[in-house]
Amino acid sequence: MDPLSGHPVLTPQLAQEIAHDIGRITGFNVLITDPGAVVIGCGDLSRVGTVHEASLEVVRTGRPATHTAGQASRMRGVRHGTSLPITVGEEVIGTVCLTGEPAEVDRFGLVVRRQAEILLEEAALLRSRMLHERAVDDFVRDVALYDPEVVDAGAVDARAVELGLAPGAARAALLLEVRTAGEGAGVSRITVLRTVREVFRDRQDVAGEQAAGRYVVLAAAHGERAAPGRLADACGQLLSLLRERHGLDGRMAVGEPGKGTTGMHHSYRDAATALRIGPAVFPGERVFTACDLRIPHLLGSVPHHGRARFADAVLGDLRGQPDWPTLRETLIGWAEGGFHLVRAAERLHIHRNTLLYRLEKIGNLSGKRVREPVQAIEMYLACLTDVLAENTGPARERREDPTGQRVR
């Protein structure tokens, strides 16, 4: 689109495509000129860049003109045939010309002219959509990388308005990571985004690509969506569609809703952290919510050496036991079960007596009173620290439980 007039631009590349397409359909040699009658597209490439004198009058009057061989011989760069204006709105932006006997090519005139205009309009629409997609991608990146010391929040809000969004509305940042290896290797970004927007189709939702294989949805959090778990459910639906339709494996994370640029950025940061540490804490799951990972998030924000010293001091020699993974799982289940024997046993899928035996063993080995909440909470936090250290190291691959169950 011409940024000043708002009309489609007849570029040489587009003109060549139109000349080729119409020539293939009609069987005639087709020539396209700009408003100055310079040939910018033609089946005969030797004519590109020359002047087609007959087109000057066609552009000036906006009316078609036919030229016999005799008439054409008296004009520069013209052959017998017909020349027709390409009109967008009320403006003539070029001409389309067919070479051939006038009686033969005249009957194709209106069809060729309309076809050229349709192709031009389609190209302009495609370019407009591409520009919109680029603007959306830029907007989600602005939110993700927002730094109040560098960028004015008002500038980001202005971009939101340009995209038809209410800048002050509450939105939750959702992050999607997809793996494109194997069956889904040939899936394009627009195909992924089309499926994303099918699920997140509220008028105030916006979805774009942040990087290859990583997408951001800023989902409006109002009405039913504000209820806990609704956006997470929608994420699960999207991941199922991506797998069924496109063979893509993915993971998603949900940040807590925030208003304005700052609120959306904080939501994005929370979602990014959830996507990073969620697979370590919940290996069998594919959707992670920031609200379920607040404690691991807090622990992860402590410098590595501080976390290591804390875990060493609290857990001591427990980590050297052959059945340490089972003991760790027991301590986590005990805390998350509210220090209630029945609930914790159900959570761990073991008998109450088995839980009692394990707790007694942990107490004997550690010297801790694990049935006292204060000491149990201390051990719970140390166990989560150990899980994070084991599963979020840069050289470690995230491990999946093949049963799909939540495993510590």
Side-chain angles (χ1 to χ4, degrees):
M1 299 288 287
D2 185 328
L4 297 178
S5 68
H7 291 158
V9 176
L10 186 57
T11 64
Q13 180 181 0
L14 178 57
Q16 192 62 44
E17 291 175 3
I18 293 174
H20 177 268
D21 288 345
I22 295 178
R24 178 173 49 80
I25 293 169
T26 63
F28 294 109
N29 182 53
V30 177
L31 177 149
I32 306 287
T33 78
D34 65 13
V38 175
V39 178
I40 55 175
C42 186
D44 179 359
L45 294 179
S46 66
R47 300 183 71 184
V48 174
T50 64
V51 174
H52 187 262
E53 189 175 347
S55 292
L56 289 171
E57 185 67 10
V58 173
V59 171
R60 188 183 68 80
T61 63
R63 293 195 297 269
T66 300
H67 307 91
T68 64
Q71 292 170 325
S73 66
R74 293 190 293 272
M75 289 185 285
R76 188 172 37 154
V78 180
R79 297 177 184 174
H80 64 297
T82 187
S83 303
L84 306 105
I86 300 175
T87 306
V88 176
E90 298 181 356
E91 181 181 357
V92 178
I93 63 170
T95 67
V96 55
C97 311
L98 278 73
T99 301
E101 292 299 326
E104 185 177 1
V105 295
D106 269 354
R107 53 198 181 96
F108 289 97
L110 291 177
V111 174
V112 168
R113 173 182 177 178
R114 185 58 190 141
Q115 183 64 26
E117 291 170 350
I118 289 173
L119 291 172
L120 182 60
E121 289 165 1
E122 288 179 347
L125 181 59
L126 178 60
R127 176 172 171 77
S128 176
R129 287 175 178 169
M130 290 175 62
L131 291 173
H132 177 77
E133 288 295 328
R134 188 180 303 168
V136 169
D137 289 346
D138 288 344
F139 175 69
V140 298
R141 289 172 189 146
D142 284 346
V143 171
L145 303 175
Y146 173 67
D147 182 347
E149 298 295 326
V150 177
V151 179
D152 179 16
V156 184
D157 288 344
R159 284 203 174 192
V161 172
E162 290 173 359
L163 294 171
L165 303 173
R171 291 184 180 82
L174 317 177
L175 264 62
L176 165 66
E177 280 188 352
V178 293
R179 301 171 186 163
T180 56
E183 185 181 348
V187 180
S188 68
R189 64 176 293 281
I190 197 62
T191 297
V192 173
L193 283 171
R194 189 178 297 116
T195 304
V196 169
R197 290 165 183 165
E198 181 180 328
V199 176
F200 296 98
R201 57 180 181 272
D202 188 277
R203 296 173 70 91
Q204 288 297 311
D205 291 346
V206 60
E209 184 182 46
Q210 183 188 8
R214 187 179 177 101
Y215 301 84
V216 178
V217 182
L218 299 173
H222 54 66
E224 292 184 353
R225 278 186 171 184
R230 285 301 180 92
L231 288 174
D233 290 344
C235 289
Q237 178 189 352
L238 172 58
L239 291 174
S240 295
L241 287 175
L242 290 172
R243 182 188 289 268
E244 292 166 8
R245 293 180 181 177
H246 314 304
L248 293 173
D249 286 327
R251 288 174 171 153
M252 291 194 72
V254 183
E256 295 193 50
K259 292 184 177 181
T261 298
T262 301
M264 289 189 295
H265 174 68
H266 289 161
S267 182
Y268 168 83
R269 291 288 300 273
D270 286 349
T273 300
L275 196 61
R276 177 173 56 84
I277 67 177
V281 182
F282 305 132
E285 298 182 13
R286 295 193 301 159
V287 178
F288 312 100
T289 59
C291 62
D292 289 337
L293 290 161
R294 284 298 182 194
I295 292 176
H297 184 182
L298 182 63
L299 293 172
S301 67
V302 177
H304 170 73
H305 294 299
R307 295 201 311 267
R309 288 181 59 206
F310 171 68
D312 288 342
V314 174
L315 299 175
D317 295 335
L318 275 177
R319 287 187 292 184
Q321 297 298 314
D323 58 348
W324 165 239
T326 300
L327 299 180
R328 182 176 67 189
E329 181 183 22
T330 301
L331 285 167
I332 293 173
W334 173 236
E336 293 184 352
F339 311 115
H340 188 280
L341 285 171
V342 175
R343 288 198 297 268
E346 289 176 348
R347 192 181 190 92
L348 291 165
H349 306 293
I350 59 177
H351 193 273
R352 177 179 179 274
N353 290 339
T354 303
L355 175 59
L356 283 169
Y357 166 76
R358 291 184 186 175
L359 292 175
E360 184 177 357
K361 179 179 179 179
I362 291 168
N364 291 334
L365 290 170
S366 67
K368 303 282 188 180
R369 295 186 294 276
V370 293
R371 297 189 66 174
E372 291 189 6
V374 172
Q375 293 200 21
I377 289 173
E378 185 180 65
M379 298 190 80
Y380 167 66
L381 295 177
C383 286
L384 288 183
T385 298
D386 188 65
V387 168
L388 291 174
E390 183 178 291
N391 293 288
T392 59
R396 288 297 191 92
E397 293 183 354
R398 292 168 176 166
R399 289 176 289 185
E400 298 274 349
D401 170 31
T403 66
Q405 296 179 349
R406 174 176 169 176
V407 175
R408 300 293 190 177

